[in-house]
Amino acid sequence: MNSLGDPILTKTAPSARPSQHVPRDLLIQRLADVVTRRLTLVHAPAGYGKTSLLSQWHRLLVERGVEVAWLTLEEEESDAARFAEYLMVAIGGGTSGESMPTRAALSAIVNRLSLAERDTVLILDDFHRAESEDVLHFMRGLIKLAPARLHVVIASRDYPKLGQAVLAANEDLLEIGVDDLKFTLDEAQVLLNRAASEQLAGDDIARLVKRTEGWPIALQMTALSLRKGCDHAELIANFSGPAWELASYLSEQVLASLPPEIENIITRTAILERLNGDLVNLLCGRVDGQMMLEQLEKQHLFLMPLDAQHLTYRYHQLFAQILRDRLARRDPALFRQLHRQAANWFSSHGQVAEAVAHAIGAADEEFLAVILDDAGGWRMIPEGRMETLLAGLTHVSSATIARYPRLTLANVYRLIKQGEMTTARTSYDLFRNSVDRASLSPDLWTEVNLVGEVLSEYENAPVKREDLLAKEALILSLPSNDHLMLANVCESLGERYCDCGWLERALEPTRRAREHHRALGSLYGEMFARLLEARIRLAQGRLDEAQIVLKEAAADIHHAYGPRSDLAANCAVYQAETLFERDAIDEAMALLDWALPHMEQSDGWFEIYASGFCTAIRAAFGRSPAEAERLIARMRTIADRRHLKQLQMLADIYEVEALIHAGRNDAASQRGQDIGIREMAAAMKEEIPAYRHVALAASVCLAKIYLCSGDHVAALSEIESTERWARQHGHGRLLITLCILAAHAHRLAKEPEPAIARFDEAVSMSMFQGFIGPFLDCWRFISLSATIDARQSTMRHTDRFRENFLRRLRKSLERHSAQSRESTLLSGPELSTLKHLDQGYTNKEIARLLKISPNTVKYHLKSLYEKLGVNSRRDAVRLSREQKLLDGAPDSAL
């Protein structure tokens, strides 16, 4: 995603208008309670002085030295990513060069606020303009997770759904509504007498307050009319009708008292949300626009400066809306023409949201299509302008969209982001097959290919050789200064090479991606490239380098985004994998205990889920078969929810691994046959299989199945085939596992010397990097004599380093083996129950024979079912015979 660029800093401070507001002392006193509440809502329709009140309070807080942040919102911030980024700018925790997904941004904001040493007040003005479901979700998260010292104040025309019921129940909510915001008699008297040429009688003021129902904007318009010399008796007499009609009437009164030149300026410029001297010159055909704005400000014509230099202004929203409606009714052609001029100006100045809004106002879909196309079309989505794009596309017909390739691609991208993958694929293929390539520029054709790549990645499509070649070609065709696209394509290429298992080719594009992210100033993008680099180095067997990359990345992530951000969770998963490889299992699981649930609730991809779940499952093998089973089930749930076919296949393979680890060899062989383990492993013979990760795991698992059945010939054949591939592509971590399994195959073949040599090879590859994980994964295929033989060999060569590693390895294997046995070790009562179960007795008969209650029998059965990993009496009996669990059991237990 692109960042905001240079944020509009006037949005992070209240209006710089001089103190013309009526002091609202009573309401200011009520706002003192804000620091005792988590959320304050100031909600009322337009014209009730919400911004004026909060501006007064803001100045008071600043004078008192209170930490206060302000953010005025607009429609463009209805995109949650842009909302979050502006929020980071407002609290002083963001810069103009950074952007991140909303979950990561939420974590970063919460963590920054947690560092505050005093209360912080965050004021969000005009919240209704940015209100969307994503923004509401973000704010609910912020309000829930923010530290107690944060106090959120929201001003809105609507009543946003932010969990007020719970907050109110906890006395964490303060509300200020219409009745609170109405002007009192005293406040109205201050306002009106300040404007009138002579003091008004108390009864007249009371009648004005009654007629306006205390509506601040109506009273302000009354004050302006009085300032222009309007007869107050006539004004009071003409007050009638609903509030909107009253405001319209008062606006007419204000305009009627102005010189035609001033009325013309106000009428033409009221279509703008923000205006400056250049825009006044453009829309009014003048050269003195800045001077005229300063004059209008002095006349208090509902014009408020937005910066200290008084270069940018805005009208009061209600006043401007009334003038827009008036112009649209009286001169629709001029209304559309002004919007068209404004759209072109904002487009030329790179202010996309404003350009699109005015293009919509021009009511010319062809013109709007041009504005959207010039803004980048589909590029607006990764740039964080999806809401602006969608707002524009809703006013453009399908026929018009079809004439603009970037808008057609935008429509495809929209479908992708909304999860409508089938429709997106159909739309993209139809466009690509129908478009005349010769009619497109090379750059535009590149964009067509890039959106196709995005679609394929979202579909989790298997890698193909043509995909790799296309990405290589795409990199060459991109401008050298288009760092955004180059960073994404290079990183994608590195990812694809890694997926194919071509580690030697994956590292270079990954490094280039880091350089392009740095050129963009995008630390967030760079972090993903660094995580990919760590994955590559770990697969190569360079564990030290992988840990260094991850340690540095974790430090940067914690500093920039917080220790519990999405990015921190991703990094923690890979750190956990490296910790497991060094037998630091407790540390690994401490990371996964929070990172895995976090990942399950946020966006992720196959590799991150595979790393996290597989590491947790590998650790559970030696501790609790039941926990391993639960983790595999969670892995399947994620695979189903995310439509990740290869994660589902990997879960199948790990189910077989769990059976092997538990010693249930026959069940493992049968389950392997059920899932087609041989067909999965056979994909290793292909240059680019659909899913290399799955093929590798299947090949290793199949070799273990052969070893469990004593078929050392088939095992060696499978191992040697995969080993040739691993050596060719530099998979050092995989080679350790294959050497361990090959050593066991030679032992089965009664070939002690090759067995010792292969185990020694595994040790030699492991000891300098500290790999223990591969040995724990294969502990059932390592006899303790293997470590003894290796130590004896070491002693002959007096290799102290090697001897120390083997001593550590033996301790790890002994502990792991003991934990595995304890996790499935049956107690005496459970063994007794199992023996009678094996003899065909019913629960009641077992209870009578053991002199216990039938409920106690049920309890013992439930416990041994969980330890054995079965669900029925039949399976428990079959497994007990298969593993000879009752052989040698003491009679006392039986």
Side-chain angles (χ1 to χ4, degrees):
M1 292 184 298
N2 274 351
S3 68
L4 291 169
D6 291 326
I8 302 171
L9 297 181
T10 54
K11 291 161 64 68
T12 61
S15 170
R17 183 175 183 171
S19 292
Q20 294 295 329
H21 303 302
V22 174
R24 312 217 63 185
D25 296 337
L26 293 177
L27 287 175
I28 294 293
Q29 291 176 17
R30 285 198 59 189
L31 287 171
D33 288 341
V34 165
V35 294
T36 66
R37 314 296 171 94
R38 185 171 289 267
L39 174 65
T40 297
L41 284 179
V42 182
H43 57 95
Y48 272 90
K50 301 180 291 296
T51 300
S52 172
L53 168 65
L54 293 179
S55 295
Q56 292 180 49
W57 187 51
H58 177 275
R59 286 193 289 273
L60 184 62
L61 291 176
V62 171
E63 290 171 2
R64 294 176 178 175
V66 176
E67 191 73 28
V68 56
W70 178 287
L71 178 59
T72 301
L73 296 164
E74 298 176 88
E75 284 80 358
E76 193 168 11
E77 281 80 67
S78 60
D79 180 272
R82 294 184 68 79
F83 175 86
E85 189 173 357
Y86 255 119
L87 196 55
M88 291 187 71
V89 174
I91 67 171
T95 67
S96 61
E98 194 56 51
S99 181
M100 64 187 81
T102 52
R103 181 73 187 183
L106 176 61
S107 300
I109 291 169
V110 169
N111 288 320
R112 176 171 178 79
L113 292 169
S114 297
L115 299 176
E117 297 179 355
R118 52 183 176 169
D119 287 326
T120 299
V121 176
L122 171 61
I123 301 174
L124 300 178
D125 194 24
D126 288 344
F127 187 78
H128 57 277
R129 290 173 169 263
E131 191 172 336
S132 67
E133 189 52 46
D134 287 343
V135 169
L136 288 173
H137 178 74
F138 184 93
M139 282 305 303
R140 284 192 287 266
L142 176 61
I143 292 167
K144 178 180 178 181
L145 299 174
R149 288 178 174 175
L150 176 68
H151 312 285
V152 179
V153 180
I154 290 177
S156 176
R157 293 184 189 178
D158 303 323
Y159 191 71
K161 297 178 180 178
L162 295 169
Q164 292 94 314
V166 175
L167 293 170
N170 294 327
E171 297 185 351
D172 254 344
L173 176 68
L174 173 65
E175 292 192 54
I176 295 177
V178 170
D179 290 339
D180 305 299
L181 291 165
K182 290 178 179 178
F183 269 13
T184 65
L185 191 61
D186 290 340
E187 290 170 336
Q189 187 172 21
V190 171
L191 173 67
L192 296 172
N193 282 333
R194 190 167 61 190
S197 57
E198 60 182 46
Q199 298 290 299
L200 299 181
D203 290 344
D204 286 341
I205 293 176
R207 280 194 292 272
L208 286 170
V209 171
K210 183 178 180 180
R211 287 291 183 90
T212 61
E213 297 180 349
W215 192 19
I217 184 62
L219 288 167
Q220 287 171 355
M221 288 183 177
T222 303
L224 184 56
S225 297
L226 292 172
R227 187 177 292 114
K228 299 299 180 181
C230 176
D231 181 82
H232 70 270
E234 181 182 349
L235 193 63
I236 295 171
N238 285 313
F239 272 9
S240 63
W244 180 261
E245 291 182 7
L246 174 59
S248 298
Y249 167 77
L250 290 170
S251 298
E252 293 286 352
Q253 292 294 311
V254 170
L255 294 175
S257 65
L258 298 175
E261 180 186 35
I262 300 299
E263 180 187 359
N264 181 62
I265 293 174
I266 292 175
T267 299
R268 286 171 171 261
T269 57
I271 68 163
L272 300 167
E273 293 288 344
R274 289 194 301 270
L275 59 155
N276 56 32
D278 289 341
L279 283 164
V280 173
N281 291 336
L282 173 69
L283 300 183
C284 302
R286 306 182 68 93
V287 294
D288 58 350
Q290 181 61 38
M291 185 178 69
M292 295 307 300
L293 286 174
E294 294 170 2
Q295 181 179 334
L296 293 176
E297 180 189 355
K298 290 177 182 178
Q299 294 181 20
H300 308 299
L301 290 172
F302 300 99
L303 189 69
M304 294 170 282
L306 295 175
D307 54 66
Q309 294 76 30
H310 293 216
L311 297 176
T312 308
Y313 293 80
R314 74 172 176 88
Y315 289 110
H316 187 286
Q317 296 168 14
L318 181 62
F319 184 65
Q321 187 59 54
I322 290 171
L323 296 185
R324 292 169 197 157
D325 292 345
R326 177 175 177 262
L327 178 61
R329 288 193 311 272
R330 293 185 177 184
D331 195 341
L334 176 60
F335 181 79
R336 293 192 296 270
Q337 176 192 333
L338 293 171
H339 273 299
R340 189 183 189 94
Q341 289 178 284
N344 282 324
W345 189 91
F346 282 113
S347 179
S348 66
H349 286 76
Q351 298 181 39
V352 177
E354 290 86 350
V356 172
H358 287 292
I360 293 172
D364 181 342
E365 66 169 306
E366 193 73 31
F367 174 67
L368 175 56
V370 171
I371 292 291
L372 291 170
D373 189 63
D374 288 345
W378 67 271
R379 280 180 178 245
M380 294 173 66
I381 295 178
E383 288 175 354
R385 302 179 186 276
M386 184 170 175
E387 294 298 326
T388 300
L389 174 67
L390 295 184
L393 288 178
T394 57
H395 293 83
V396 182
S397 67
S398 299
T400 301
I401 288 175
R403 294 198 296 273
Y404 293 85
R406 285 191 177 91
L407 298 190
T408 302
L409 293 174
N411 206 39
V412 172
Y413 214 133
R414 172 187 66 81
L415 293 167
I416 293 171
K417 297 295 285 184
Q418 292 174 347
E420 300 178 35
M421 303 306 301
T422 302
T423 308
R425 169 55 67 184
T426 301
S427 299
Y428 178 79
D429 289 344
L430 180 63
F431 166 70
R432 188 183 177 95
N433 294 333
S434 63
V435 71
D436 179 10
R437 179 174 178 178
S439 66
L440 303 181
S441 68
D443 288 346
L444 188 51
W445 185 250
T446 295
E447 294 183 39
V448 172
N449 288 331
L450 186 57
V451 172
E453 288 291 328
V454 171
L455 175 58
S456 295
E457 290 174 9
Y458 270 84
E459 291 175 323
N460 194 29
V463 181
K464 299 177 182 178
R465 171 177 282 277
E466 50 265 35
D467 295 335
L468 300 173
L469 294 176
K471 283 188 181 292
E472 293 279 12
L474 188 57
I475 290 173
L476 296 176
S477 68
L478 291 172
S480 60
N481 61 349
D482 194 344
H483 296 294
L484 173 64
M485 294 185 72
L486 283 168
N488 290 334
V489 177
C490 285
E491 187 175 332
S492 178
L493 181 61
E495 185 84 44
R496 289 300 181 100
Y497 274 137
C498 186
D499 290 344
C500 290
W502 296 358
L503 302 181
E504 73 283 7
R505 298 187 184 181
L507 203 53
E508 179 56 30
T510 302
R511 286 172 173 166
R512 278 186 283 159
R514 284 185 63 176
E515 293 171 1
H516 288 298
H517 281 304
R518 284 179 178 174
L520 282 169
S522 175
L523 177 64
Y524 190 82
E526 184 186 344
M527 288 301 104
F528 281 103
R530 286 163 74 173
L531 296 183
L532 175 57
E533 181 182 344
R535 280 177 49 208
I536 295 168
R537 294 186 184 279
L538 177 58
Q540 290 175 326
R542 297 152 72 177
L543 183 54
D544 284 340
E545 295 178 24
Q547 286 196 310
I548 290 172
V549 171
L550 291 172
K551 182 179 180 180
E552 293 174 351
D556 288 341
I557 290 168
H558 288 191
H559 176 73
Y561 309 116
R564 286 297 187 268
S565 62
D566 286 1
L567 203 51
N570 295 337
C571 187
V573 164
Y574 291 130
Q575 285 183 299
E577 186 175 3
T578 61
L579 287 168
F580 179 87
E581 297 295 0
R582 287 203 158 134
D583 195 25
I585 298 178
D586 289 340
E587 294 177 57
M589 291 310 298
L591 289 176
L592 292 177
D593 281 346
W594 76 266
L596 266 183
H598 189 108
M599 285 165 42
E600 287 174 291
Q601 298 302 318
S602 60
D603 289 336
W605 60 97
F606 164 73
E607 289 78 15
I608 194 73
Y609 290 130
S611 175
F613 279 108
C614 292
T615 299
I617 292 167
R618 291 163 68 196
F621 282 161
R623 299 186 175 196
S624 169
E627 177 61 20
E629 184 179 338
R630 285 191 288 270
L631 285 164
I632 292 171
R634 284 169 61 185
M635 189 176 177
R636 291 188 191 283
T637 299
I638 284 290
D640 182 61
R641 186 194 311 163
R642 304 288 183 190
H643 305 289
L644 297 172
K645 180 180 179 181
Q646 53 184 332
L647 192 65
Q648 191 71 258
M649 297 167 73
L650 202 59
D652 290 339
I653 294 170
Y654 267 81
E655 186 179 353
V656 179
E657 287 277 4
L659 295 170
I660 293 172
H661 213 90
R664 299 173 59 187
N665 300 338
D666 290 345
S669 179
Q670 181 59 54
R671 182 59 183 149
Q673 183 176 339
D674 293 342
I675 67 171
I677 194 78
R678 287 179 175 82
E679 291 76 11
M680 292 181 188
M684 283 300 299
K685 297 181 175 64
E686 302 173 18
E687 182 184 22
I688 305 180
Y691 303 122
R692 177 71 72 183
H693 197 120
V694 169
L696 286 171
S699 178
V700 171
C701 186
L702 180 59
K704 290 180 180 180
I705 290 173
Y706 287 141
L707 292 174
C708 288
S709 65
D711 190 347
H712 62 274
V713 175
L716 280 173
S717 176
E718 185 67 33
I719 291 167
E720 289 168 359
S721 175
T722 302
E723 186 177 353
R724 283 193 297 272
W725 179 89
R727 291 188 186 279
Q728 178 183 356
H729 295 286
H731 280 256
R733 164 64 179 80
L734 174 62
L735 284 170
I736 299 171
T737 297
L738 296 174
C739 286
I740 295 169
L741 297 178
H744 186 67
H746 285 297
R747 285 185 181 277
L748 291 177
K750 310 297 184 185
E751 298 170 350
E753 292 185 5
I756 294 173
R758 295 312 305 270
F759 192 80
D760 279 350
E761 188 177 358
V763 170
S764 296
M765 287 189 289
S766 301
M767 61 183 183
F768 292 110
Q769 294 291 324
F771 272 106
I772 298 292
F775 296 91
L776 300 181
D777 293 338
C778 300
W779 75 277
R780 284 197 174 276
F781 306 98
I782 304 173
S783 64
L784 292 181
S785 62
T787 59
I788 294 172
D789 291 341
R791 286 194 65 194
Q792 290 174 345
S793 174
T794 297
M795 293 172 67
R796 287 195 297 270
H797 295 87
T798 62
D799 188 337
R800 287 285 183 184
F801 189 87
R802 194 168 185 276
E803 183 180 356
N804 289 338
F805 176 76
L806 284 166
R807 186 181 297 114
R808 178 186 165 202
L809 175 60
R810 184 183 179 93
K811 288 182 179 178
S812 294
L813 288 170
E814 287 175 344
R815 187 198 70 247
H816 191 79
S817 176
Q819 287 177 338
S820 296
R821 283 194 296 271
E822 288 173 5
S823 68
T824 56
L825 190 63
L826 301 182
S827 66
E830 289 167 349
L831 283 169
S832 298
T833 302
L834 182 60
K835 183 212 173 188
H836 291 306
L837 200 67
D838 182 62
Q839 294 172 346
Y841 290 111
T842 66
N843 286 8
K844 288 184 178 180
E845 291 170 334
I846 294 172
R848 179 175 53 78
L849 290 169
L850 296 180
K851 298 180 180 179
I852 55 179
S853 71
N855 284 336
T856 303
V857 173
K858 289 181 181 179
Y859 173 80
H860 289 329
L861 286 175
K862 179 180 179 182
S863 178
L864 68 88
Y865 284 177
E866 181 172 344
K867 288 183 177 181
L868 297 178
V870 298
N871 298 307
S872 67
R873 301 164 66 94
R874 180 179 178 182
D875 286 344
V877 169
R878 176 183 54 75
L879 184 61
S880 68
R881 292 174 179 174
E882 180 182 309
Q883 296 191 6
K884 301 179 181 179
L885 295 178
L886 297 176
D887 291 0
D891 292 339
S892 59
L894 306 180

